């Protein structure tokens, strides 16, 4: 029976819940050594001297490498496809180790020892003398004309700056009846995947480097390790076991190059490098902290006229994904709503903070917070209902971006908003919560988003799939796309099963990628897998389907056009008579004495389209004014993600994303000492994550469209669920209290200070109610 659109159980579920799935930390290779990194205890400066004699003398220490011992190659770490255009390549600003410290925790030396405890002891015996400089932590400091350069090879602390415009901005503002100019800001947060970054590397008998890594991007990882070590990429093999969550942080190559290099320095012995939770907080990747200035014009009837935006994205010590995040965010301003004219400038800067990179939503949670707060404030300013105001200004299906030329084929935004309005009982509650008094007040808010599927036309979108028909009629499905917890292996198995015409339990997915064996795929990111990798799987499955029918023609004499496959049987189309089982055809393909030819398909698919997902969050909150605490009473997340391939998996994705979005909105923030740059809460005790006690019941709904560019009408759903919670909650707080909070996280302290400034609390902090 067909499985597309049905809640098929995860094919990896049993292995994971029983503990049989093996992650990097579960694997052991004979003769394993263990590495630890010596990290800086300043945020900005240079190493004047480093002494490792005492550490080297410690029993069990095998090797110590410092920044003075590494190759001179610079390399990028971002998990983007390689670009043949040098101007479009990622910034190569990393070395394996460094004597120029750029953030607290920068990597200066590495110890390789017989066990982890000895390696940790050796770290404490290394002595370093620094030349320390004042840390650059804010955009103002980084952009000063006389600011010290964090990377001496560059002319300033700007990684990149871009801008765009269309329409006559001056004329559009002149036609406005009201203009709003406001600022919004977001904070530094961490991915907090269950599994920390981990890898081990060794050299095989042929002198090739083999790396086992918890990575989202095995094929890209191989290339970056080659760049870092200055060796041919083909001399590197990357194996990806099970991955305990990534959310974008493992779309960077963080630990693999150093682990590989260290193995080459100990005669090819296996070297394992696993980061602690504290290291993962600061030495992997964070979400960019951003600052937005938005100026918009609107007419009395609610028609948007103009928008002028300025974005500053704080990237931290190294480029990683660099300006890609801010550039993507800037485009959202022009395509979320209709304007006569739009202009936007985006700047990405270096600071002496941990490096920011890809995180679920890739810059869109930040810009949607600013934009949807801005839309709420514009609606209130002209006395319009915030839902009606938005719906008046949404783009219609078929909209073509005037700058990129991309066509938005399907758009269920209006239907999503209408469904959310009904589910929350919006109209009734807007009246009920009007003119409240008392210390606890309730309000409702909403926010919308749109999100692209995959990265075309900005970047290459290529995926591979290999299918082999086994002797029993089942198939092996090999894909380069990585399962990192999102359920992609299950969905791709559904696609293969339905396209071939066999039961899903006949599809055996090879879940662990190996760059020596697995088809090329750029990896797991950009909500691309059911769209891009799914297209490759469908292409391979169609080839298998057609070859089975062709083989059946040899066996029955009936033309393929008269045949079809369903539930593992080849049927005569005219009356659905069962002619042969797929197993019969498979056996014949392997063992026919005169015409044996096993049935296989090995394909690549390059996607040159994009499909845009839409959705919204509706929230009801209760605000305790004296304490600043916010309780989310009700929340709904509604999506147009095209055709839903697996409703149960889709619902799980949404619930996980909403939880992440709630933490971003109300709790999470990585804090640093403003004088030294030292992290203050890089652990799971002090960094406040959502717990089950904090999480409300999450309402999930879908509006299904059928996108013509997708293999099965499907669109992005991996990242969209985490995008729009923060502005929806902010707008609900505004509805409850009349106070606009223009920053996240909206902690009790932030609300308390804003309530006090707005006059809801007196000088002593008591409510004026």
């Amino acid at each position: 029976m067909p499985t597309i659109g049905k809640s098929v159980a995860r094919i990896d579920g049993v292995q994971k819940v029983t503990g049989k799935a093996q992650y990097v930390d579960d694997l052991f290779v004979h003769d394993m050594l263990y590495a630890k990194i010596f990290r800086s205890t300043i945020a900005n400066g240079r190493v004047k001297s480093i002494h490792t004699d005492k550490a080297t003398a410690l029993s069990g220490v095998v090797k110590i490498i410092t920044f003075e011992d590494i190759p001179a190659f610079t390399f990028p770490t971002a998990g983007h496809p390689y670009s043949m255009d040098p101007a479009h390549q990622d910034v190569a600003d990393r070395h394996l180790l460094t004597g120029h410290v750029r953030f607290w925790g920068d990597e200066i030396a590495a110890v390789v020892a017989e066990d982890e405890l000895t390696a940790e002891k050796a770290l404490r015996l290394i002595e370093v003398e620094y030349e320390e400089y004042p840390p650059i932590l804010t955009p103002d400091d980084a952009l000063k004309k006389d600011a010290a350069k964090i990377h001496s090879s560059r002319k300033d602390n700007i990684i990149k700056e871009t801008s765009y415009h269309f329409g006559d901005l001056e004329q559009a503002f002149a036609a406005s009846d009201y203009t709003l100019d406001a600022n919004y800001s977001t904070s530094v947060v961490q991915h907090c995947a269950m599994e920390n970054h981990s890898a081990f590397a060794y050299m095989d008998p042929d002198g090739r480097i083999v790396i086992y890594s918890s990575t989202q991007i095995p094929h890209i990882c191989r290339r970056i390790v080659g760049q870092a070590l200055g060796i041919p990429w083909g001399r590197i093999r990357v194996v990806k076991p099970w991955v305990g969550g990534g959310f974008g942080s493992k779309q960077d190559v963080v630990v693999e190059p150093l682990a590989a290099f260290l193995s080459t320095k100990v005669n090819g012995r296996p070297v394992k490098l696993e980061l602690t939770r504290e290291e993962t907080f600061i030495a992997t990747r964070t979400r960019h902290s951003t600052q937005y200035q938005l100026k918009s014009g609107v007419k009395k009837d609610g028609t948007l006229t103009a928008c002028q935006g300025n974005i500053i994205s704080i990237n931290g010590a190294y480029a990683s994904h660099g300006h890609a995040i801010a550039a993507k965010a800037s485009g959202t301003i022009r395509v979320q709503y209709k304007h006569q004219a739009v202009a936007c400038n985006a700047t990405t800067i270096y600071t002496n903070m941990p490096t920011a990179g890809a995180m679920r939503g890739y810059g869109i949670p930040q810009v949607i917070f600013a934009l949807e707060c801005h839309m709420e404030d514009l609606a209130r300013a002209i006395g319009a209902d915030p839902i009606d105001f938005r719906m008046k200004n949404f783009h219609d299906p078929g909209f073509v971006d005037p700058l990129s030329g991309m066509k938005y084929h399907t758009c269920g935004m209006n239907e999503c908003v209408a469904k959310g309005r009904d589910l929350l009982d919006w109209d009734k509650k807007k009246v009920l919560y009007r003119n409240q008094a008392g210390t606890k007040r309730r309000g409702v808010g909403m926010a919308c988003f749109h999100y692209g599927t995959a990265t075309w036309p900005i970047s290459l979108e290529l995926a591979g799939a290999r299918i082999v028909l086994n002797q029993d009629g089942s198939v092996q499905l090999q894909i380069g796309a990585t399962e990192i917890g999102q359920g992609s292996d299950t969905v791709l198995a559904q696609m293969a099963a339905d396209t071939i015409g066999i039961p899903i339990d006949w599809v055996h997915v090879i879940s662990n990628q190996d760059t020596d064996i697995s088809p090329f795929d750029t990896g797991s990111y950009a909500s691309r897998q059911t769209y891009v990798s799914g297209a490759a799987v469908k292409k391979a499955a169609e080839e298998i389907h057609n070859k089975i029918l062709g083989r059946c023609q040899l066996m029955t004499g009936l033309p393929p056009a008269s045949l079809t496959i369903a539930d593992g049987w080849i049927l005569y189309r005219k009356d659905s008579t069962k002619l042969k089982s797929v197993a019969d055809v498979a056996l014949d393909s392997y063992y026919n004495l005169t015409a044996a030819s096993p049935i296989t398909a090995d394909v690549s698919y390059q996607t040159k389209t994009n499909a845009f997902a839409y959705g919204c969050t509706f929230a009801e909150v209760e605000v305790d004014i004296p304490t600043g605490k916010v309780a989310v009473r009700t929340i709904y997340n509604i999506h147009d993600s095209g055709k839903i391939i697996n409703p149960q998996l889709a619902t799980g994705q949404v619930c996980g994303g909403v939880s992440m979005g709630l933490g971003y909105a109300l709790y999470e923030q990585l804090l640093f000492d403003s004088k030294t740059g030292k992290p203050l809460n890089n652990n799971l005790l002090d960094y406040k994550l959502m717990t089950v006690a904090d999480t409300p019941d999450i309402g999930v709904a879908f509006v299904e469209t059928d996108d013509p560019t997708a293999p099965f009408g499907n669109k992005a759903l991996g990242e969209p669920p985490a995008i729009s919670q923060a502005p929806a909650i902010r707008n609900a707080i505004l509805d409850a209290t009349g106070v606009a909070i223009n920053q996240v996280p909206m902690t009790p302290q932030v609300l308390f200070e804003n309530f006090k400034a707005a006059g809801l609390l007196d000088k002593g902090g008591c409510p004026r109610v």
Side-chain angles (χ1 to χ4, degrees):
M1 297 295 290
T3 64
I4 298 293
K6 296 181 180 179
S7 294
V8 173
R10 289 184 65 124
I11 63 175
D12 58 354
V14 173
Q15 292 189 62
K16 288 183 174 179
V17 300
T18 59
K20 293 179 180 178
Q22 290 190 315
Y23 300 81
V24 172
D25 200 40
D26 295 315
L27 302 175
F28 178 82
V29 180
H30 174 68
D31 219 18
M32 184 91 82
L33 298 173
Y34 299 85
K36 291 291 181 181
I37 297 172
F38 181 85
R39 300 185 180 278
S40 69
T41 53
I42 64 170
N44 191 14
R46 292 185 181 273
V47 176
K48 292 175 66 176
S49 65
I50 181 168
H51 302 285
T52 62
D53 295 349
K54 294 179 182 177
T56 302
L58 184 67
S59 177
V61 171
V62 177
K63 193 75 174 181
I64 296 180
I65 298 292
T66 75
F67 65 92
E68 297 172 328
D69 306 314
I70 60 165
F73 305 108
T74 55
F75 59 94
T77 63
H80 289 144
Y82 185 75
S83 175
M84 301 295 287
D85 177 7
H88 193 61
Q89 291 174 3
D90 292 307
V91 177
D93 61 0
R94 293 298 296 253
H95 291 91
L96 292 170
L97 299 168
T98 183
H100 183 171
V101 174
R102 296 181 174 91
F103 72 99
W104 188 291
D106 213 344
E107 300 166 359
I108 296 171
V111 174
V112 181
E114 296 288 350
D115 56 75
E116 289 184 89
L117 182 59
T118 300
E120 290 171 357
K121 287 180 178 178
L123 291 182
R124 295 193 286 271
L125 297 176
I126 296 175
E127 299 171 346
V128 172
E129 182 183 2
Y130 298 106
E131 180 181 328
E132 188 172 1
Y133 314 139
I136 297 170
L137 303 175
T138 67
D140 288 343
D141 288 341
L143 295 172
K144 286 179 181 176
K145 289 184 178 180
D146 59 347
K149 292 185 289 185
I150 293 172
H151 287 265
S152 56
S153 61
R154 303 182 69 91
K155 65 178 183 179
D156 52 32
N157 291 321
I158 296 176
I159 296 176
K160 194 170 183 180
E161 186 172 17
T162 56
S163 61
Y164 69 82
H165 72 276
F166 70 85
D168 189 325
L169 199 68
E170 184 177 349
Q171 185 180 61
F173 273 119
S176 306
D177 295 313
Y178 178 78
T179 300
L180 174 65
D181 193 339
N183 296 300
Y184 310 89
S185 64
T186 69
S187 61
V188 178
V189 299
Q190 239 290 337
H191 304 71
C192 296
M194 291 181 69
E195 179 194 27
N196 290 331
H197 285 64
S198 181
F200 65 84
Y202 61 89
M203 298 182 71
D204 70 14
D206 294 327
R208 298 177 73 222
I209 295 173
V210 180
I211 304 167
Y212 281 73
S213 170
S214 173
T215 179
Q216 299 175 217
I217 48 166
H219 284 281
I220 293 175
C221 178
R222 177 172 69 166
R223 181 257 299 174
I224 292 175
V225 172
Q227 291 175 289
L229 274 58
I231 62 177
W233 305 349
R235 295 198 62 79
I236 300 161
R237 174 187 170 205
V238 176
V239 180
K240 185 233 77 174
W242 298 102
V243 174
F247 307 115
S249 184
K250 293 171 185 171
Q251 197 198 335
D252 259 60
V253 180
V254 176
V255 295
E256 298 88 348
L258 184 56
F261 178 73
L262 292 174
S263 176
T264 69
K265 294 301 178 182
V266 291
N267 299 316
R269 286 182 64 179
V271 175
K272 184 175 183 179
L273 177 56
E274 181 181 17
L275 302 188
T276 65
R277 179 62 66 181
E278 289 77 9
E279 287 179 299
T280 299
F281 263 100
I282 62 170
T284 59
R285 298 296 174 261
T286 64
R287 174 174 280 162
H288 293 70
S289 172
T290 53
Q291 296 182 0
Y292 291 87
Q293 180 188 11
L294 295 179
K295 178 183 177 183
S296 293
V298 63
K299 293 182 177 180
K300 291 178 181 177
D301 67 356
T303 302
L304 288 169
T305 55
C307 183
Q308 186 171 18
N310 188 57
I311 303 171
I312 296 178
S313 179
I314 302 170
N315 213 83
Y318 296 96
S320 180
H321 285 243
H323 191 61
I325 281 87
K328 181 173 182 177
S330 70
T332 296
I333 293 173
R334 74 175 183 266
V335 294
Q336 179 95 341
Y337 295 103
K338 292 183 284 192
H339 293 89
Q340 297 174 19
V342 176
C344 187
N345 185 79
T347 305
T348 302
I349 62 171
Y350 286 117
T351 63
N352 292 124
M353 295 171 68
T355 303
M359 185 171 176
R360 195 174 191 176
Y362 210 77
I364 306 306
Q366 297 98 304
V367 70
I368 287 296
F369 176 74
L371 187 60
E372 287 299 289
C373 293
H374 199 61
M375 290 298 112
E376 188 78 13
D377 296 344
L378 282 167
R380 290 172 65 91
I382 62 170
D385 178 88
I387 293 180
D388 296 338
F389 176 74
R390 286 174 171 85
M391 294 180 78
K392 181 181 179 69
N393 290 289
F394 288 148
H395 285 292
D396 300 317
F399 161 70
V400 176
D401 183 349
L403 298 185
S404 72
M406 290 300 298
K407 184 176 181 179
Y408 290 56
H409 293 274
T410 53
C411 176
M413 182 77 94
N414 285 328
E415 294 85 349
C416 288
V417 171
K419 182 166 284 193
R421 188 174 202 156
D422 289 342
L423 288 169
L424 193 71
D425 204 1
W426 173 274
D427 296 307
K428 179 180 178 180
K429 289 176 179 176
K430 285 292 283 186
V431 174
L432 182 65
Y433 297 151
R434 192 176 295 162
N435 301 320
Q436 296 176 80
T439 59
K440 289 189 176 182
R441 302 181 190 180
R442 294 181 183 178
V444 292
M446 58 85 65
C448 302
F449 72 87
H450 90 282
Y451 196 81
T453 307
T455 61
W456 182 266
I458 301 300
S459 190
L460 171 73
E461 281 299 354
L462 182 67
R466 182 183 300 119
I467 300 178
V468 176
L469 181 66
N470 297 321
Q471 292 95 327
D472 62 357
S474 68
V475 299
Q476 306 295 124
L477 171 60
Q478 280 186 292
I479 41 182
T482 51
E483 168 68 69
I484 61 171
Q486 77 277 44
S488 62
D489 281 355
T490 302
V491 169
L492 295 176
Q494 289 179 256
M495 292 178 171
D498 282 18
T499 304
I500 297 170
I502 58 177
I504 190 171
D505 57 4
W506 289 18
V507 180
H508 308 298
V509 180
I510 312 302
S511 290
N512 296 340
Q513 279 68 43
D514 182 334
T515 56
D516 274 8
I517 301 169
S518 302
F520 181 85
D521 190 294
T522 54
S524 176
Y525 58 86
S527 300
R528 65 185 290 278
Q529 282 176 272
T530 56
Y531 187 74
V532 180
S533 303
V537 169
K538 184 179 182 182
K539 181 180 177 181
E542 287 174 338
E543 188 173 320
I544 294 293
H545 176 95
N546 293 336
K547 286 182 176 180
I548 291 171
L549 296 185
R551 189 80 197 183
C552 188
Q553 182 181 22
L554 295 177
M555 300 170 70
T556 64
L558 296 172
S562 68
L563 308 174
T564 189
I565 307 174
D567 204 28
W569 286 90
I570 299 162
L571 310 177
Y572 186 52
R573 282 186 181 274
K574 188 173 182 179
D575 57 11
S576 297
T577 300
K578 291 181 179 179
L579 302 173
K580 295 284 183 181
S581 72
V582 171
D584 293 334
V585 175
L587 278 170
D588 186 74
S589 72
Y590 275 93
Y591 302 115
N592 186 296
L593 291 176
T594 59
S597 179
I599 294 173
T600 65
D602 195 339
V603 308
S604 285
Y605 189 93
Q606 185 175 3
T607 298
K608 297 181 180 180
T609 57
N610 209 314
F612 296 86
Y614 297 88
C616 53
T617 297
F618 277 73
E620 177 187 359
V621 303
E622 182 175 84
V623 184
D624 188 293
I625 292 174
T627 65
K629 290 184 177 181
V630 176
V632 178
R633 293 176 51 83
T634 310
I635 191 162
Y636 288 99
N637 203 222
I638 303 98
H639 293 265
D640 162 24
S641 290
K643 292 293 183 182
I644 301 301
I645 306 299
N646 187 315
Q648 188 176 51
L649 283 181
T651 299
Q653 278 280 52
V654 174
C655 289
V658 171
S659 180
M660 184 175 277
L662 287 171
Y664 179 58
L666 296 172
Y667 303 102
E668 296 183 46
Q669 184 176 21
L670 195 53
L671 300 170
F672 303 89
D673 187 294
S674 60
K675 294 180 180 179
T676 66
K678 181 179 180 180
L680 301 175
N681 62 334
N682 59 317
N683 59 76
L684 290 178
L685 175 64
D686 299 315
Y687 184 89
K688 301 305 179 186
L689 282 169
M690 292 282 293
T691 70
V692 66
D694 305 308
T695 306
D697 290 337
I698 297 169
V700 179
F702 298 102
V703 170
E704 293 196 61
T705 55
D706 189 353
D707 198 277
T709 68
F712 291 89
N714 50 289
K715 303 191 289 188
L717 188 60
E719 293 162 280
I723 291 174
S724 53
Q725 290 74 40
I729 291 169
R730 179 267 192 186
N731 294 336
I733 294 170
L734 173 61
D735 186 54
T737 66
V739 179
I741 312 297
N742 289 355
Q743 67 184 91
V744 291
M746 293 170 283
T747 62
Q749 181 68 31
V750 168
L751 265 63
F752 180 86
E753 292 171 357
N754 276 268
F755 291 161
K756 195 171 181 180
L760 294 183
L761 302 172
D762 62 23
K763 292 182 179 179
C766 296
R768 299 180 186 273
V769 290

